[in-house]
Amino acid sequence: MSLLTETLAAIRPVDAALLQEAQRRLDNKTKPLGSLGRLEEFARRFAAISGNLEPDTAKKVIYTFAGDHGVVEEGVSAFPKEVTPQMVLNFLNGGAGVNVLARHAGVEVRVVDIGVDYDFGPAPGLLVRKVARGTRNFAKGPAMTRDEAVAALEVGIELAGQAKRDGVAMLGTGEMGIGNTTPSSAIIAILSGKSVEEVTHRGTGIGDRALENKVRVIKAGVALNQPDPADPLDVLAKVGGLEIAGIAGLVLGAAANRVPVVVDGFISTAGALIACEMNPHVREYIFAAHESVEIGHRFMLERIGAAPILDLQFRLGEGTGAALAMGLIEAGVKVLKEMATFEQAGVSDEVLR
C-alpha cells in the first residue's frame, strides 16, 4: 500500500463519547451552561481529537508550503513569480506577517519548499521537499501529473507524522505561491458546481480587466482538462498547486494521527477541501481559522461544514489567520483544564444549572 492509501484507511471518526465527556466537564465549571460559547466547542473538539481530556497545547507549528504556478504566465496575478522565493526568504528571516503573528501566539513557523522554481541554500526553518519546480500552466494542459500530485500529498502526510512523533500538539497550515488563488478558485468551482464567476475574486488586488482575464483562464483550463469532480485527486492534478497538495496531505496526516489542524484562508482551505473529498471524516479534525474576503472561501467552508473562528477581512494567506485562531483554541482548552469546578470553588450550582 502507498503512504496515501494507508493514511486514508487510518482516518477514523472522532470519538463521540470523548466529546460528550469533555462537554460534561465544561458544564461543571463555575459558569452558566454554555456561557463561554465557541471556546467550549474548541475545547471539547480539541480534547476528543487528541484523545485526551487534559490535552497539552504547548507545541504549536504552522507549516507554510511554498510553490510556483505555471498559470501565472496568463497574467492572473498582480505580482510576478519572482516574488515567491523572495517571500520565502522573508519568512526565513522572520519578517513576514505570519512570523509576527506566530511570535505573538507562541507558534513556530516551518517553511516547506514543495515546488518553488528557485534553489534555496540550507537555512534554519526551511524544509526542502521539492516535488517539481512549480506546476505547469493549466490553461495549456494539466498542472501536474497524477504521480506528482500524490508525491506532494505524501510530503504533507510525512510532515504531519513527524510532527506527531515530535510532540506537536496543534498543526496549522499556510502557503505562499504567486498566482495560487487561480487554482483555488478552479478547485471550488469544479467541486461545488458553482460558476467560475461566483467563486473568483481579486487575489492580491488585480483590477477589473485582470479579473475578467482570470475568469477566462480558469474556464479555459477547466474546459481543456475536464477534471472529474468525483475524483479529488484528478481535480488536484489537473488544476491544483503543489503547495495546495502539500496542505491537503498535512490535513490528511493530521487526521490520521489525531492531531488538531487549524486551516488558514482560501488557498489552505482548497487543500483542506481536497482532503475532505478524499475522506469525509477529515472534516472532524479541522478548525477553520477565519473567513477570507475571497468570495470562493465561503463556499469551501460550507462544503467542508466548518464554521470560521474569525472574520478579520484577511486576504494574505501565509498562515496568518491560523496563528491568531490557535490562540483562541488554546484558550478554550485552558478553560477545560484550569477553570475551577463548582465543588472546587465552593460555589453553589443550583441557580446557575
Side-chain angles (χ1 to χ4, degrees):
M1 292 173 68
S2 70
L3 177 59
L4 175 59
T5 304
E6 288 179 3
T7 301
L8 289 168
I11 297 168
R12 297 284 184 270
V14 168
D15 190 333
L18 273 175
L19 275 170
Q20 292 176 352
E21 176 59 20
Q23 187 61 58
R24 188 193 68 77
R25 293 192 180 199
L26 287 163
D27 290 345
N28 200 35
K29 302 293 185 179
T30 46
K31 60 177 180 57
L33 286 173
S35 58
L36 282 175
R38 293 201 67 194
L39 286 188
E40 298 187 32
E41 171 204 328
F42 305 156
R44 68 175 177 264
R45 289 192 61 218
F46 196 104
I49 289 168
S50 62
N52 186 343
L53 289 166
E54 292 197 3
D56 177 36
T57 56
K59 195 165 186 179
K60 303 176 289 297
V61 176
I62 290 172
Y63 285 89
T64 299
F65 292 83
D68 278 308
H69 295 265
V71 76
V72 166
E73 67 189 34
E74 299 293 330
V76 296
S77 175
F79 293 97
K81 63 178 286 189
E82 288 77 16
V83 173
T84 302
Q86 291 167 2
M87 280 302 301
V88 168
L89 294 170
N90 191 25
F91 296 147
L92 297 174
N93 289 328
V98 68
N99 301 110
V100 174
L101 297 179
R103 284 194 295 270
H104 170 71
V107 180
E108 179 186 350
V109 176
R110 298 176 183 172
V111 184
V112 185
D113 172 12
I114 196 168
V116 182
D117 188 14
Y118 183 89
D119 292 317
F120 298 98
L126 176 65
L127 302 170
V128 178
R129 301 288 190 274
K130 203 187 298 284
V131 172
R133 299 181 72 93
T135 56
R136 289 170 282 282
N137 182 353
F138 75 71
K140 296 179 179 177
M144 295 174 268
T145 66
R146 199 172 176 95
D147 285 347
E148 285 171 335
V150 169
L153 282 162
E154 291 187 342
V155 167
I157 291 169
E158 289 170 353
L159 291 173
Q162 186 60 55
K164 173 71 172 183
R165 291 188 290 274
D166 291 345
V168 175
M170 188 176 354
L171 290 169
T173 70
E175 44 61 41
M176 179 62 218
I178 294 301
N180 61 10
T181 60
T182 298
S184 299
S185 293
I187 286 168
I188 184 57
I190 295 159
L191 293 176
S192 70
K194 300 286 183 183
S195 71
V196 174
E197 288 88 349
E198 285 180 279
V199 298
T200 305
H201 200 51
R202 299 179 186 275
T204 48
I206 57 176
D208 290 345
R209 291 187 66 181
L211 178 58
E212 290 173 9
N213 176 62
K214 184 176 178 180
V215 169
R216 179 194 62 78
V217 168
I218 295 171
K219 286 182 172 180
V222 172
L224 174 66
N225 291 294
Q226 293 291 303
D228 179 3
D231 182 357
L233 184 55
D234 187 59
V235 175
L236 178 64
K238 286 179 174 174
V239 302
L242 290 160
E243 81 277 44
I244 293 170
I247 289 165
L250 188 80
V251 173
L252 289 171
N257 285 284
R258 297 187 70 173
V259 178
V261 59
V262 186
V263 174
D264 194 40
F266 186 48
I267 294 90
S268 282
T269 310
L273 177 58
I274 292 290
C276 291
E277 296 287 319
M278 288 182 152
N279 186 319
H281 294 309
V282 169
R283 68 192 69 229
E284 300 176 34
Y285 295 83
I286 290 171
F287 290 88
H290 69 108
E291 183 174 335
S292 165
V293 298
E294 283 290 321
I295 58 176
H297 195 206
R298 177 172 297 179
F299 296 115
M300 290 178 177
L301 293 171
E302 288 174 355
R303 189 168 179 88
I304 290 173
I309 293 171
L310 298 165
D311 183 354
L312 298 172
Q313 308 292 295
F314 276 17
R315 56 179 179 88
L316 179 57
E318 303 180 356
T320 46
L324 292 176
M326 280 177 160
L328 290 173
I329 296 165
E330 186 171 26
V333 173
K334 287 184 175 181
V335 167
L336 176 64
K337 292 169 62 178
E338 300 176 16
M339 192 172 180
T341 64
F342 288 104
E343 183 179 5
Q344 289 168 336
V347 174
S348 171
D349 64 353
E350 291 181 5
V351 175
L352 294 177
R353 294 165 62 89

